Amino acid sequence: MSDNNNNVKENLWNCLCRRFSHKENVRETLEDLIEEAADNKDICGNLSSQEQLLLNNVLYLKDKRCGQIMVPRAEIVAFQKDGTVQDLGLLMTEKGHSRVPIYDQSLDDIIGMVHIIDVAKALMKGQPKAKAAMVASNKLKFVSPSMHVLDLLNFMQKNKVHMALVVDEYGGVDGLVTIEDLLEEIVGDIEDEYDIEVEPEIKQQGKNVIMADGSAELEDIKAKTGLDLWKNIEDYEDEVDTLGGLICAMVERVPQRGEVIEAQDNISFRVLDVDSRCVKKVMIVKRHEPETKTTGAENN
């Protein structure tokens, strides 16, 4: 180890000792260290920006709740219990997930989860038609959206649980949290070679028709098609970034499949696909403006 590294550690240790000698609590001490490191790179062992980020994340993680970091219900990838292991394996391969929750009649009836290893074992035994329920485990936890993130992380570590479902007061599933989600709150995004990032679809079909996912950003729609939808959000207090969010704000509810919503500049939105919580697919149509007929008197 170099003398320089030793000096850095010694400086940081001395700085911590001086701080704690004044009987401040740990949180205040770390907050001061981060602030001073940002103002003066020679103070407290010359904390790097990454070190400052990690310390900040740890400090503010104690105030975070599961409802703030969960994967929302509309984005949960799940599988029906009577489906085959072979089909489950195809789904997990397509979505890039190593664990998938298994449900009975709906997402509110979760019976367990399946790990990709369980699928591999069944396939190696020559059981591709086995039901997903037969390989599902009960290694799941149901939590309230108000549960502290650190409490859930501690539970998962102690009980070797990697997935938790966030449920509302009526027992309905609101979202999903994995141990990876919790760790990413501290260290940032963790991506491996199998992570699949799917961008929302935005396709121009003809001059006046655009097909887009509800999750498509308004800014991306403008960049790819030239269609500016920002002016349609001026009358709404909610913060809107996506096409689906704009449509829901306009009608103040989740619209029905097939519903047509009129907007400014002769634009209409036809909802092609929707679930109980969000708009999934939309056809944007820009109608031709009516032509103004010129009368003979005006020509004269």
Side-chain angles (χ1 to χ4, degrees), residues 10-19 33 36 43-44:
E10 184 178 349
N11 290 339
L12 181 56
W13 173 252
N14 290 336
C15 195
L16 285 169
C17 288
R18 288 195 301 272
R19 288 293 183 183
L33 286 173
E36 289 182 7
I43 293 179
C44 302

Side-chain angles (χ1 to χ4, degrees), residues 277-292:
R277 293 173 179 259
C278 70
V279 176
K280 300 178 73 175
K281 197 79 174 180
V282 180
M283 177 190 291
I284 307 172
V285 180
K286 186 171 178 61
R287 302 183 306 279
H288 294 289
E289 296 185 11
E291 296 182 2
T292 303

Side-chain angles (χ1 to χ4, degrees), residues 146-207:
S146 62
M147 183 177 187
H148 283 96
V149 165
L150 284 178
D151 292 338
L152 179 57
L153 179 58
N154 184 48
F155 175 89
M156 286 180 155
Q157 287 177 308
K158 288 183 177 180
N159 296 276
K160 298 181 180 180
V161 173
H162 289 261
M163 181 181 290
L165 289 165
V166 182
V167 295
D168 60 26
E169 58 184 314
Y170 305 106
V173 173
D174 266 350
L176 178 149
V177 178
T178 66
I179 197 166
E180 182 178 324
D181 295 328
L182 300 177
L183 293 175
E184 285 182 342
E185 289 297 313
I186 300 174
V187 301
D189 289 343
I190 303 172
E191 295 185 358
D192 61 31
E193 64 271 29
Y194 293 106
D195 280 342
I196 299 173
E197 184 175 350
V198 180
E199 291 188 5
E201 183 180 56
I202 303 171
K203 284 187 178 180
Q204 183 88 45
Q205 294 189 343
K207 183 178 180 181

Side-chain angles (χ1 to χ4, degrees), residues 7 16 21 24 36 80 110 122 126 146 157 160 197 204 221 225 238 252-254 270 287 292 294 296:
N7 291 335
L16 285 169
S21 66
E24 296 179 5
E36 289 182 7
Q80 209 276 332
I110 299 293
S146 62
Q157 287 177 308
K160 298 181 180 180
E197 184 175 350
Q204 183 88 45
I221 293 175
T225 68
D238 295 339
E252 298 182 341
R253 56 182 169 80
V254 178
R270 180 181 294 276
R287 302 183 306 279
T292 303
T294 306

Side-chain angles (χ1 to χ4, degrees), residues 256-273:
Q256 298 179 352
R257 182 182 286 107
E259 190 170 344
V260 177
I261 295 96
E262 304 295 338
Q264 295 185 28
D265 295 337
N266 290 309
I267 293 172
S268 63
F269 305 113
R270 180 181 294 276
V271 180
L272 302 180
D273 192 13

Side-chain angles (χ1 to χ4, degrees), residues 133-148:
M134 297 183 66
V135 296
S137 74
N138 60 356
K139 281 283 187 176
L140 269 175
K141 181 173 176 62
F142 294 87
V143 302
S144 163
S146 62
M147 183 177 187
H148 283 96

Side-chain angles (χ1 to χ4, degrees), residues 227-267:
L227 181 61
D228 186 1
L229 298 174
W230 287 106
K231 62 184 69 177
N232 288 282
I233 70 173
E234 294 175 356
D235 297 331
Y236 308 108
E237 295 182 359
D238 295 339
E239 183 177 334
V240 174
D241 295 311
T242 65
L243 176 59
L246 170 62
I247 293 173
C248 290
M250 291 177 68
V251 298
E252 298 182 341
R253 56 182 169 80
V254 178
Q256 298 179 352
R257 182 182 286 107
E259 190 170 344
V260 177
I261 295 96
E262 304 295 338
Q264 295 185 28
D265 295 337
N266 290 309
I267 293 172

Side-chain angles (χ1 to χ4, degrees), residues 22-47:
H22 291 90
K23 297 184 180 180
E24 296 179 5
N25 64 43
V26 175
R27 187 184 185 90
E28 291 176 349
T29 299
L30 291 176
E31 286 176 342
D32 287 346
L33 286 173
I34 295 169
E35 186 176 336
E36 289 182 7
D39 294 337
N40 189 336
K41 295 299 182 182
D42 295 326
I43 293 179
C44 302
N46 193 24
L47 290 177

